[in-house]
Amino acid sequence: MDAISSTPSVISTHKLSGNLALLALALSVWLLERRTRLGGLPLVYGGLGQLRSLAPELAGLAACGMIAGSLIYRKEHNGLSPIPAEDQKLWQDINTEWPILMTADSLLGLQAMLRMVLLSSAVLRSTDSSASPFTNEPALFFFLAAACRVTLLAVSPPDVYHLDGPLGGALNLALEVLAVPLLAFASRHVLAVGLRRLSLCFAGILAAFFLSTCNRLALADPGAEQLDVLFSLAKLLESLAALAFLARTCSLGRRSSGRFTSFAHALLPVQQCLGTYFMLTAWGAAPLQEVPELVGAGSPFALLQTTGIAEAGLYLLSLVAFVASRSAVKEQGLVSSEDIRQPLYIEV
């Protein structure tokens, strides 16, 4: 998928990035204040012991970093199809605007690599992950989004919706395919959540499908509009996953714990920011503005960019809720099982 970018979007994107940086700074200050009050850092910053307990995940991140770094350093195009001669000038312009990553597609390639580390941790720590906010409804939405991406890659021509650049091609395709069975494993207990919650999931899926048909890009060839619908649908299903993740974080409250849970809360905002930054910068226009020649129906850029920003905010709110719940456990020295069963939303 050719990532098109343009310098007019840089100023607006930097303003938005600045706002997100301020939010991250405020969160960091709050975490430090909690450390001062409680005499130690909550969440994944709890010292060397916590880092040692996350050794497999850290090793996975290091491996991804080395693989991505080596591929990016080689500055080769690894897409499934070569860049056509008539597009060489455009490709050089893209490489100039992305001097390190070569193309905005590399952001999605990095996101897929981080997703694989997260899902591997979920399988490795299946006992922890079964009591994590990631399971059940969020995992179901993630699974459906992954299935949409794999279907999209399977039926799309090599030059449409496949990633270009050093992290594209067969590597990205393999990562997306591997994610499907891992997410199926993570969502294996979703049918036990009850009819009411399953009905809400079904309603959300229908709403996402309706919005994706009414707001789609025009990257596919004429007559293959279903590919554009699948792209929008995958993004919207991930938005539902973020919303469900926050809801489960709040409902679990102090019961939400474990190494995988801490790792998921730390990694998901980073992973989502990569996808959001791609949607904001890869199209040659300022954020939240439509590109008429790339619009198939509705306002896909405004919708997908807005939901992408909302996803990042939802994961940050989930992080705050999780830190607050773990801090409350340490601060109050909970000993009663009745207290442990209290959901977080009663306290906030």
Side-chain angles (χ1 to χ4, degrees), residues 3 35 81 101 191 257 303:
R35 179 190 183 187
S81 62
L101 299 178
L191 295 179
S257 62
L303 175 64

Side-chain angles (χ1 to χ4, degrees), residues 89-169:
K89 179 61 169 60
L90 175 61
W91 179 246
Q92 292 175 3
D93 292 340
I94 293 174
N95 294 166
T96 300
E97 295 189 12
W98 296 87
I100 297 177
L101 299 178
M102 290 186 63
T103 168
D105 287 9
S106 297
L107 294 169
L108 297 184
L110 287 170
Q111 185 185 43
M113 298 177 80
L114 293 182
R115 184 187 298 117
M116 184 53 54
V117 177
L118 178 67
L119 298 181
S120 299
S121 175
V123 174
L124 176 67
R125 305 185 188 276
S126 57
T127 303
D128 285 351
S129 63
S130 61
S132 167
F134 185 82
T135 57
N136 293 336
E137 293 95 337
L140 173 64
F141 289 129
F142 278 126
F143 168 74
L144 294 175
C148 287
R149 285 193 300 271
V150 170
T151 304
L152 179 62
L153 294 175
V155 299
S156 295
D159 60 341
V160 178
Y161 283 116
H162 289 268
L163 300 190
D164 292 325
L167 303 183

Side-chain angles (χ1 to χ4, degrees), residues 313-333:
L314 290 171
Y315 286 129
L316 287 175
L317 287 175
S318 299
L319 176 62
V320 171
F322 179 63
V323 171
S325 68
R326 303 314 303 160
S327 299
V329 170
K330 185 172 182 178
E331 190 174 37
Q332 299 176 10

